[in-house]
Amino acid sequence: MTAARAVALFDRVASVYDEVLPFFTGFGQQHMEWLAPVRGTRVLDLGAGRGALTAAALARGCQVTAVDCAPGMIERISTQHPRVHEARVMDAHQLDFPDGSFDLVCAGFVVHLLDDPAAAAQQIRRVLTPGGVFSFSVPGGVEDAREWEFYGALFCEFQPLIPVGEGRLSRPLDGEQFLATAGFTSVSESAIEQRLPVRDADTFWNWGLSHGSRAFIDALPADARTEFEARVRAELSTMDPIVFAAGAHLWRGTSPA
Ligand SMILES: C[S@@+](CC[C@H](N)C(=O)[O-])C[C@H]1O[C@@H](n2cnc3c(N)ncnc32)[C@H](O)[C@@H]1O
């Protein structure tokens, strides 16, 4: 994905991002609990979105700088998190900070969207202080949530209807290999999950339009989009209550001293 496509998509959804369901907020809180930075830690929230990690780090008394390539996200971070040290529009591949500026760089659901994760990792190492930590999250599964397998299966089924190169924002990423290749040490991983109550099918559908998966829905031809939505709603109509189970993997590595 080029940064231009990320800017276009995430600017389009910025006004509703994480407002339909507190999906990223929940994962951001769990991620920051896992990292447990001490008060005063200089944190860079990379690809900050509406500030799921920023808010969790501020709550722990960290000094937080937030960057994102989408101006709509950064505008909202600045107003919604007034205690943020600095919020700037910036591409993760070209970090405009002096060497050794941060003790912790965190990136929630961003790295797998980047054009060149390895180049971004070198920038991250540069802006981290020696011994500093880089941590990121990527989407993961939930083992005992078979009722949600239909959702992934529908994406696979409709994928061939989308022009090549469109619709998918993410690429597979081997977190361990990525961190090790970039020179990070003491690599570790954790799997987390959350179960979010969803009021009704409208809420779930609107949630799908409020974040990255919108790229997929928008890239479907009109008749396929109508069918995709109908199939999602049909599955949801069999669930009572609707409780959305989602998982994520957290990774962290240390910049060599
Ligand atoms: C899935 S959202 C996650 C946002 C936030 N970290 C969270 O956990 O809610 C991905 C974010 O990464 C940003 N992003 C994507 N590519 C980027 C890049 N090259 N440089 C900076 N930000 C980028 C998007 O604009 C978007 O806000």
Side-chain angles (χ1 to χ4, degrees), residues 35-205:
L35 293 170
V38 297
R39 179 169 290 278
T41 299
R42 297 168 304 161
V43 175
L44 173 62
D45 184 359
L46 187 68
R50 290 281 293 268
L53 283 166
T54 289
L58 286 172
R60 301 183 75 96
C62 299
Q63 177 188 287
V64 185
T65 299
V67 300
D68 198 286
C69 67
M73 295 292 196
I74 289 301
E75 277 164 29
R76 287 171 175 83
I77 286 230
S78 304
T79 51
Q80 288 174 347
H81 305 289
R83 285 188 295 134
V84 77
H85 178 65
E86 195 180 7
R88 288 171 64 184
V89 176
M90 200 178 291
D91 187 335
H93 301 94
Q94 292 169 322
L95 296 180
D96 183 19
F97 297 108
D99 296 1
S101 297
F102 302 101
D103 308 303
L104 169 64
V105 175
C106 54
F109 302 98
V110 178
V111 174
H112 62 299
L113 305 178
L114 297 176
D115 255 355
D116 190 345
Q122 290 315 313
Q123 287 287 301
I124 291 162
R125 269 195 66 180
R126 184 184 63 72
V127 302
L128 270 174
T129 194
V133 169
F134 170 39
S135 181
F136 64 93
S137 59
V138 289
V142 175
E143 232 169 63
D144 57 346
R146 307 205 57 147
E147 72 275 23
W148 285 99
E149 286 176 3
F150 83 90
Y151 199 50
L154 278 178
F155 275 75
C156 293
E157 182 185 331
F158 281 75
Q159 176 70 48
L161 302 173
I162 289 179
V164 174
E166 284 183 35
R168 284 274 172 195
L169 295 178
S170 60
R171 300 176 192 168
L173 185 94
D174 179 330
E176 184 161 20
Q177 192 184 39
F178 167 60
L179 285 169
T181 305
F184 290 95
T185 59
S186 307
V187 170
S188 62
E189 181 200 8
S190 178
I192 56 173
E193 62 182 57
Q194 59 179 334
R195 286 163 201 272
L196 292 167
V198 182
R199 194 173 51 220
D200 51 27
D202 281 344
T203 303
F204 188 80
W205 181 252

Side-chain angles (χ1 to χ4, degrees), residues 174-243:
D174 179 330
E176 184 161 20
Q177 192 184 39
F178 167 60
L179 285 169
T181 305
F184 290 95
T185 59
S186 307
V187 170
S188 62
E189 181 200 8
S190 178
I192 56 173
E193 62 182 57
Q194 59 179 334
R195 286 163 201 272
L196 292 167
V198 182
R199 194 173 51 220
D200 51 27
D202 281 344
T203 303
F204 188 80
W205 181 252
N206 289 333
W207 173 73
L209 296 174
S210 71
H211 64 102
S213 69
R214 176 153 190 168
F216 183 90
I217 296 169
D218 283 354
L220 287 167
D223 54 344
R225 178 184 158 131
T226 304
E227 189 194 335
F228 181 82
E229 179 177 352
R231 298 267 300 277
V232 171
R233 287 178 181 276
E235 290 283 350
L236 293 172
S237 72
T238 67
M239 298 181 185
D240 184 20
I242 304 173
V243 180

